[in-house]
Amino acid sequence: MPLIKEADSGTPPSAATEVVSLTIDGQTVMAPAGTSVMRAASMMGTAIPKLCATDSLQAFGSCRLCLVEIDGRAGTPASCTTPIADGMVVRTQTPKLAKLRKGVMELYISDHPLDCLTCAANGDCELQDMAGAVGLREVRYGYDGANHLCAEADESNPYFTFDPSKCIVCSRCVRACDEVQGTFALTIEGRGFASQVSASQSQPFMESECVSCGACVQACPTAALTETAIIDIGQPEHSVVTTCAYCGVGCTFKAEMRGEQLVRMVPYKDGKANRGHSCVKGRFAWGYATHRERILNPMIRRAVTDPWREVTWSEAIAYAASEFTRIQAAHGRNSVGGITSSRCTNEETFLVQKLVRAGFGNNNVDTCARVCHSPTGYGLKATFGTSAGTQDFDSVEHSDVIMVIGANPTDGHPVFASRMKQRLRQGARLIVIDPRRIDLVRTPHVQADHHLPLRPGTNVAVLNALAHVIVTEGLVDEAFVRERCDWEEFQDWAEAVAAPANSPEASEAFTGVPPETVRQAARLYATGGAAAIYYGLGVTEHSQGTTAVIAIANLAMATGNLGKLGAGVNPLRGQNNVQGACDMGSFPHELSGYRHVSDDDARGVFEALWDVELDAEPGLRIPNMLDAAVQGAFKGLYIQGEDILQSDPNTTHVAAGLAAMECVVVQDLFLNETANYAHVFLPGSTFLEKDGTFTNAERRIQRVRKVMSPRNGFGDWEITQMLSNALGFTMSYSHPSEIMDEIASLTPTFAGVSFAKLDEEGSVQWPCNAAAPLGTPVMHLDGFVRGKGRFMLTEYVATDEKVGPRFPLLLTTGRVLSQYNVGAQTRRTANVAWHNEDLLEIHPEDAEQRGVRDGDWVSLKSRAGETSLRATVTERVAPGVVYTTFHFPQTQANVVTTEYSDWATNCPEYKVTAVEVALSNGTTDWQTRYQAHTRRSRRIAQPEPAE
Amino acid sequence: MSASLPQIPWNADHAAALVARCVALEGPLLPALHVIQATFGCVPDEAVPIIAQVLNLSRADVHGVLTFYHDFRRVPAGRRILKFCAAEACQARGSADAIAQVERALGLKVGETRSDGAVTLEAVYCLGLCASGPAALLDGDPFARLKGARLDHLLTQVLP
């Protein structure tokens, strides 16, 4: 499609329902009360000249270009700041206005370089457009007066340049940073002629509070803020609307292209998850797609000690298939399996599980959700009947109380965090339950009413204490519970949580949270109006992960915070397509749409369509596969787009499992850490190189569109199809849309989904079927999917992972804004400018006891393993707690995490590991050995010279 | 911004405590900037993160307000502050010549502080003394009809 120029109505829409009628340039216009004259004019197709107005920001009225005449009113009011009124008569073009506008433009241009032909914004500049619109022909003031033309450009940010000589001080960037992103990193310094845009305290952008979300660049009407890529390459010529492949927010972007070259990614206003906003990852960090380390040719080797040998696709596929066939013949049907990827599309994920179930003939398929949100699936299905969050993101605009538990949205889900912060600045109240003082606890213009800094591992105790207060202080929404939930089960639950052992006073001893804080938080959540819970992996990645999810569901049911706007239970999904990967039947016990493999009816539908008999017994989960491998019963694994060596817990055990296998097939963009143990490497494709769909955290199914040819030659779905065909189970899809059609035919909640519908509607939220043809934004509106909401008992059981004399500190892990997951993508972009190593956060008291100063190398040791990294001393963590990220393979934070996992789902207990920290002077034995192994196993044999 | 005072040296903890007393006020930023300047003689750049932290604002928020008002200083002023009116009425009564004379006598330009720290010279725009200009403030005290001997007298007060 041609370059998309999104319409800009100048000011945001009015939410009013009352309609006002007015006359603009002789035409009658109807618009909601509160609409600006500018926006009303744009509704009838009249563009009033403007510079400081844009419809993502509140009207400001500074540029004086949008003046209009209104009958009966003195002067020439600004149309952006003037709301419409009944019977108003407006003229947008008169000789007087033309003269005024021209005069204003002359002033702007008298202090603006006249280098349009060589300017990076040439063709995409509102100042240029407005000069044309007002008919500017001369500048009577000349160009000799004082000016800013010699101001130096700030090129400190790797992704955009700030050139103050081209700035018209319209404040759009400042307002975008404040209103949209909520970081408040920009200001106008000085006044009058000296006014200029300043990042923090007149600093280079990289030294300021800027988080590089790109909102300012998008808002700038001139070339003052311009993407470096535009400066280097030039203006794009066509756009393709697609979905970001980073976190579970699922932002919609316009990929702006020159031929097959991606010039920039610009957030799309029609994107229903992001509403035109972006973060540093999605907006800028896509350079990994063309990174020199990308592997583009298939490779094989007999043993992981051999160097890789580049081969043709047919040889690689044939070798992998023959190995799987040989292994199954020798060791049995169940000796092989596959892992689907939350980074791949729904269609690709579906194909991998289909290959395993139908091609391998077993159910040994699992996905990375095993290690993140599997407890969400289990817990929410058990209580509500659906393995997914209840709301859409827009719902947060209606929340009165927001409770964030074990999630760090400003780093992990930044675009949603910006939307949440907008609501918080409007006055919604905030409760944060997290061992760390995450940014949301206190960040400019946002402050949590209550922060419950619990000891890692005590989520369930704190949630039970909240429930205890709600029940014993009579804060239960009894009408809701009686109508929507099973009353008997509720009574059992209420009796259990009301026990004195669950009181905040009793649990303080192990949670560390002051009882009064718990009581106030409980009262606020129960009585503060529409209350929403947003939670993340800090809830699920525990030995009681599933119990905590159930406890959250109980809280929401007891207070009636379900089935309405502004409320709900909302898991913030880690990866772009975790929801989708789970929906697509990636778990060993579930077919697509969460139907158990032992369900004969469900299985029968698949067997009929696929013409193959499916196993009715659940297969192995990832940890079971690794255990079985170590024991010698599991020999072959097909891994699509996941790096289990780096991302899964207890790295040494994962390494031992992989090393014990005879055929490990890794399909990925890069030689990742798992590939150090692989025998076949199949080069994967990026989200820019294929068609498909991703499903975000709000169940929103969105299109991923191919914007360039796959550099490796094939989309990942095509590679799986080739492997399946080589294994003798035929697949013959010619386009991913055919795979989605098959998914729709097999999966009741997806029955109404097709690429055609997605192209038409932009996106739909499942369930999407005959009952809800356009999808379901908010679930459980009139009742729970499972019938009656189910209260379940959630007794707190302390984890076996306990601190002691040898390991006196608790380690918990997370991520930072600029890096993503194992870092395979973001480490290969300029995002390393913000964060280029994992750091260990340690409280000053704990640091002092160990003689650790800021920046020192320290060893981090648990009973599972030991690594080393640099320390940062901060009060962000409580005494007794340390924290790090897992983005960098040189650290391998998961060497330290243990084999403990959730009782129901095996989701690993990443968030609680007893450790000791000590000063260190270098890498640990494991790191040294592993790095040597990495060097050895990444050798690629040079082809022998032809004779 | 009245008389220059013998101010105490910069102290971050003291500054944070002073700003904390403003937290409960409606619109606490301006009072916070005033108290910092009154105490330390200026609002140094290192005060900005402290004010931002205590009031839960961004550094940019504070910087924008700080730099908007000419009377907030980011570096200490001289021991005496002479603010000479440069607005239209005083111009009509000869302030330009008077300011030039002051600049020569003090050895500095408007907006500067003498290297020995003796005096800071600033322009102001109308002191409401239009009928008796050229006018000025010395450490907050008004002086008018600043020509000839009256101007010389003022200068002897600035630099005894």
Side-chain angles (χ1 to χ4, degrees):
Chain A
M1 59 186 94
L3 196 68
I4 299 171
K5 292 264 188 188
E6 291 172 89
D8 185 348
S9 305
T11 62
S14 162
T17 47
E18 185 199 342
V19 173
V20 168
S21 170
L22 72 160
T23 306
I24 300 178
D25 294 339
Q27 282 191 54
T28 303
V29 191
M30 313 275 279
T35 303
S36 69
V37 169
M38 176 182 281
R39 190 177 175 92
S42 109
M43 288 164 68
M44 58 175 247
T46 295
I48 298 174
K50 65 180 182 61
L51 281 168
C52 74
T54 185
D55 57 14
S56 59
L57 304 173
Q58 295 300 317
F60 195 56
S62 83
C63 78
R64 313 317 291 172
L65 213 58
C66 73
L67 309 177
V68 292
E69 290 192 75
I70 299 174
D71 283 5
R73 295 203 189 179
T76 50
S79 61
C80 62
T81 52
T82 306
I84 57 172
D86 227 11
M88 187 183 253
V89 177
V90 179
R91 276 163 295 141
T92 72
Q93 297 287 355
T94 67
K96 181 182 179 185
L97 292 170
K99 197 172 164 195
L100 284 170
R101 286 178 187 149
K102 212 181 268 191
V104 169
M105 276 308 289
E106 281 183 83
L107 284 166
Y108 277 119
I109 300 303
S110 71
D111 188 8
H112 193 86
L114 299 176
D115 62 351
C116 288
L117 285 180
T118 53
C119 177
N122 190 13
D124 183 27
C125 174
E126 294 181 40
L127 188 67
Q128 199 177 41
D129 296 346
M130 288 307 112
V134 306
L136 185 74
R137 296 294 174 264
E138 58 166 350
V139 174
R140 287 169 292 166
Y141 308 105
Y143 306 97
D144 300 331
N147 60 51
H148 299 87
L149 302 185
C150 294
E152 280 201 28
D154 171 4
E155 296 177 346
S156 62
N157 186 295
Y159 297 122
F160 61 84
T161 296
F162 173 54
D163 181 352
S165 74
K166 298 195 168 165
C167 176
I168 58 168
V169 201
C170 64
S171 292
R172 270 162 72 160
C173 54
V174 177
R175 291 181 287 141
C177 192
D178 296 357
E179 295 175 26
V180 178
Q181 165 60 24
T183 293
F184 297 82
L186 302 181
T187 189
I188 301 295
E189 176 187 73
R191 59 157 69 178
F193 185 75
S195 303
Q196 58 179 355
V197 170
S198 151
S200 291
Q201 299 172 257
S202 281
Q203 291 165 302
F205 270 73
M206 280 302 277
E207 292 169 26
S208 75
E209 294 150 303
C210 169
V211 293
S212 198
C213 70
C216 57
V217 181
Q218 197 183 348
C220 181
T222 73
L225 282 158
T226 308
E227 294 90 347
T228 309
I230 292 281
I231 296 172
D232 292 346
I233 302 170
Q235 291 291 328
E237 45 76 24
H238 77 273
S239 323
V240 182
V241 174
T242 191
T243 304
C244 179
Y246 282 116
C247 77
V249 175
C251 297
T252 306
F253 279 89
K254 294 180 290 183
E256 296 196 340
M257 310 293 299
R258 290 236 295 208
E260 288 206 289
Q261 181 182 27
L262 178 56
V263 179
R264 65 176 170 186
M265 296 284 275
V266 182
Y268 191 45
K269 284 200 285 195
D270 273 356
K272 294 190 178 70
N274 57 320
R275 303 284 180 195
H277 190 38
S278 61
C279 80
V280 62
K281 295 187 284 275
R283 177 83 151 93
F284 296 118
W286 37 265
Y288 66 88
T290 51
H291 194 273
R292 61 186 163 73
E293 284 173 10
R294 224 181 123 184
I295 303 291
L296 301 173
N297 297 313
M299 304 189 294
I300 61 174
R301 58 184 171 191
R302 288 274 161 204
V304 295
T305 48
D306 295 340
W308 285 108
R309 190 163 61 82
E310 290 185 349
V311 295
T312 61
W313 274 100
S314 53
E315 185 176 350
I317 294 285
Y319 179 75
S322 71
E323 280 293 281
F324 284 128
T325 308
R326 176 186 68 76
I327 290 168
Q328 284 192 301
H331 303 282
R333 190 166 50 113
N334 292 325
S335 58
V336 299
I339 298 178
T340 76
S341 174
S342 295
R343 295 182 201 181
C344 287
T345 63
N346 283 318
E347 295 72 18
E348 289 164 343
T349 306
F350 184 84
L351 280 206
V352 172
Q353 63 92 34
K354 179 174 178 179
L355 177 146
V356 171
R357 297 188 203 282
F360 289 162
N362 63 42
N363 287 321
N364 293 338
V365 61
D366 207 359
T367 186
C368 33
R370 172 67 52 217
V371 300
C372 67
H373 266 293
S374 48
T376 290
Y378 189 103
L380 297 187
K381 183 164 189 184
T383 48
F384 302 156
T386 311
S387 298
T390 62
Q391 314 293 114
D392 59 0
F393 287 147
D394 286 349
S395 167
V396 79
E397 293 170 11
H398 305 273
S399 293
D400 301 310
V401 177
I402 295 169
M403 183 143 87
V404 176
I405 313 177
N408 185 7
T410 52
D411 285 59
H413 304 84
V415 170
F416 177 68
S418 289
R419 298 188 65 185
M420 185 187 274
K421 288 203 286 186
Q422 286 169 11
R423 183 61 188 161
L424 292 167
R425 291 198 303 275
Q426 289 169 356
R429 314 279 300 272
L430 174 65
I431 301 163
V432 174
I433 304 180
D434 200 290
R436 280 173 84 227
R437 200 178 62 214
I438 58 170
D439 280 352
L440 267 185
V441 172
R442 197 164 191 275
T443 186
H445 303 273
V446 167
Q447 175 142 21
D449 294 86
H450 306 291
H451 175 214
L452 282 55
L454 75 179
R455 294 276 291 163
T458 61
N459 284 326
V460 172
V462 169
L463 291 164
N464 284 346
L466 291 169
H468 175 91
V469 177
I470 288 167
V471 169
T472 56
E473 295 191 7
L475 308 177
V476 170
D477 183 345
E478 191 177 322
F480 179 92
V481 175
R482 281 191 183 275
E483 183 191 334
R484 305 277 189 102
C485 305
D486 186 301
W487 184 249
E488 297 285 315
E489 285 165 351
F490 165 75
Q491 285 176 311
D492 292 346
W493 171 80
E495 191 185 331
V497 296
N502 287 319
S503 71
E505 290 72 18
S507 51
E508 182 191 10
F510 39 94
T511 65
V513 184
E516 193 50 32
T517 310
V518 178
R519 288 193 177 272
Q520 286 172 2
R523 289 169 199 147
L524 176 59
Y525 175 72
T527 64
I533 295 175
Y534 292 88
Y535 72 90
L537 304 182
V539 164
T540 55
E541 290 176 347
H542 288 277
S543 59
Q544 278 200 296
T546 297
T547 317
V549 172
I550 292 169
I552 286 170
N554 290 340
L555 279 185
M557 286 189 290
T559 53
N561 276 310
L562 286 163
K564 63 182 182 187
L565 279 179
V569 172
N570 306 282
L572 291 171
R573 298 290 188 151
Q575 301 200 53
N576 52 323
N577 200 33
V578 176
Q579 181 68 54
C582 298
D583 300 341
M584 290 301 104
S586 293
F587 288 130
H589 66 292
E590 278 175 340
L591 299 162
S592 63
Y594 304 99
R595 289 160 300 157
H596 204 274
V597 290
S598 65
D599 175 343
D600 291 341
D601 292 340
R603 214 174 57 254
V605 178
F606 286 81
E607 288 176 334
L609 188 72
W610 295 350
D611 191 23
V612 62
E613 192 177 331
L614 299 179
D615 194 342
E617 285 296 316
L620 298 175
R621 299 168 173 183
I622 294 171
N624 307 138
M625 294 181 199
L626 294 167
D627 292 346
V630 171
Q631 290 154 14
F634 189 87
K635 297 283 188 186
L637 187 57
Y638 170 42
I639 306 172
Q640 184 180 70
E642 187 179 348
D643 191 358
I644 57 171
L645 189 87
Q646 193 180 336
S647 65
D648 285 28
N650 197 355
T651 308
T652 44
H653 180 67
V654 177
L658 289 168
M661 294 184 203
E662 293 175 6
C663 180
V664 175
V665 179
V666 167
Q667 182 173 326
D668 209 286
L669 303 176
F670 304 101
L671 278 176
N672 62 20
E673 306 311 308
T674 307
N676 291 341
Y677 296 87
H679 306 84
V680 179
F681 187 88
L682 303 175
S685 57
T686 70
F687 76 114
L688 298 167
E689 299 166 329
K690 59 199 180 188
D691 282 298
T693 58
F694 291 152
T695 307
N696 75 355
E698 42 166 10
R699 295 169 281 106
R700 188 181 299 285
I701 307 162
Q702 308 190 96
R703 280 280 275 119
V704 179
R705 291 188 178 86
K706 182 173 166 178
V707 305
M708 58 177 75
S709 310
R711 295 179 71 225
N712 58 321
F714 298 100
D716 292 87
W717 61 277
E718 293 173 283
I719 299 165
T720 305
Q721 174 160 294
M722 289 190 283
L723 181 60
S724 185
N725 288 334
L727 282 163
F729 180 73
T730 307
M731 295 184 186
S732 53
Y733 307 100
S734 62
H735 190 269
S737 64
E738 298 167 15
I739 307 172
M740 179 51 85
D741 292 342
E742 180 173 321
I743 296 164
S745 75
L746 288 168
T747 317
T749 44
F750 277 68
V753 181
S754 67
F755 277 34
K757 180 176 283 181
L758 294 172
D759 290 343
E760 201 171 297
E761 299 296 328
S763 63
V764 294
Q765 289 170 271
W766 68 258
C768 174
N769 47 31
L774 294 181
T776 312
V778 176
M779 297 198 75
H780 317 296
L781 274 178
D782 302 316
F784 288 102
V785 168
R786 73 180 297 278
K788 290 285 188 188
R790 180 177 175 202
F791 280 88
M792 295 170 70
L793 300 185
T794 55
E795 188 193 349
Y796 169 66
V797 179
T799 171
D800 290 337
E801 183 71 14
K802 290 184 170 59
V803 293
R806 281 182 66 211
F807 302 114
L809 301 171
L810 282 183
L811 168 73
T812 185
T813 61
R815 61 165 78 158
V816 296
L817 171 66
S818 59
Q819 297 292 333
Y820 176 70
N821 204 271
V822 294
Q825 294 137 296
T826 43
R827 280 187 279 113
R828 292 180 173 97
T829 69
N831 276 25
V832 291
W834 285 273
H835 186 93
N836 63 1
E837 61 183 320
D838 294 319
L839 294 169
L840 185 79
E841 290 186 0
I842 183 167
H843 189 274
E845 286 175 19
D846 294 323
E848 195 183 344
Q849 280 175 19
R850 291 162 179 78
V852 172
R853 288 162 309 172
D854 206 54
D856 280 346
W857 273 100
V858 293
S859 68
L860 175 68
K861 187 176 186 179
S862 74
R863 62 183 170 78
E866 182 178 18
T867 187
S868 64
L869 69 176
R870 288 199 302 143
T872 178
V873 178
T874 172
E875 291 183 2
R876 195 180 264 272
V877 288
V881 177
V882 292
Y883 169 88
T884 191
T885 51
F886 64 104
H887 302 305
F888 289 85
Q890 55 268 42
T891 316
Q892 292 279 24
N894 283 318
V895 168
V896 178
T897 55
T898 70
E899 77 285 4
Y900 285 161
S901 67
D902 177 44
W903 60 269
T905 64
N906 273 150
C907 183
E909 191 178 49
Y910 288 108
K911 300 298 185 185
V912 190
T913 308
V915 294
E916 177 57 302
V917 173
L919 276 173
S920 142
N921 52 8
T923 52
T924 61
D925 284 352
W926 158 262
Q927 283 169 304
T928 311
R929 264 185 291 123
Y930 182 75
Q931 278 157 17
H933 173 71
T934 300
R935 274 194 302 278
R936 237 185 357 263
S937 70
R938 286 193 179 157
R939 287 169 302 153
I940 299 174
Q942 296 304 312
E944 292 181 17
E947 287 298 320
Chain B
M1 298 292 96
S2 61
S4 61
L5 300 163
Q7 277 105 12
I8 63 170
W10 170 250
N11 177 303
D13 291 338
H14 186 42
L18 290 170
V19 179
R21 284 186 217 153
C22 303
V23 166
L25 300 174
E26 186 178 351
L29 179 53
L30 281 176
L33 291 168
H34 278 296
V35 72
I36 294 291
Q37 177 146 317
T39 308
F40 302 107
C42 68
V43 185
D45 283 349
E46 52 266 47
V48 171
I50 294 169
I51 299 169
Q53 164 64 25
V54 175
L55 302 183
N56 203 23
L57 301 169
S58 68
R59 291 190 287 124
D61 284 333
V62 178
H63 182 75
V65 173
L66 172 62
T67 57
F68 182 82
Y69 293 102
H70 294 155
D71 270 347
F72 287 130
R73 328 180 161 279
R74 295 165 66 190
V75 291
R79 289 185 291 279
R80 313 212 64 176
I81 300 172
L82 179 61
K83 297 184 174 188
F84 220 101
C85 180
E88 286 80 353
C90 280
Q91 278 184 38
R93 296 181 62 90
S95 68
D97 287 346
I99 291 172
Q101 189 184 333
V102 170
E103 287 181 335
R104 277 195 305 277
L106 299 181
L108 80 180
K109 294 282 181 195
V110 169
E112 291 178 353
T113 299
R114 260 168 64 123
S115 56
D116 64 0
V119 60
T120 295
L121 175 64
E122 290 178 344
V124 287
Y125 295 87
C126 199
L127 296 166
L129 300 171
C130 306
S132 45
L137 291 178
L138 178 61
D139 294 343
D141 295 330
F143 289 78
R145 297 193 183 87
L146 292 170
K147 286 184 179 176
R150 290 180 63 86
L151 181 56
D152 293 340
H153 176 69
L154 173 70
L155 287 170
T156 61
Q157 284 191 269
V158 176
L159 284 184

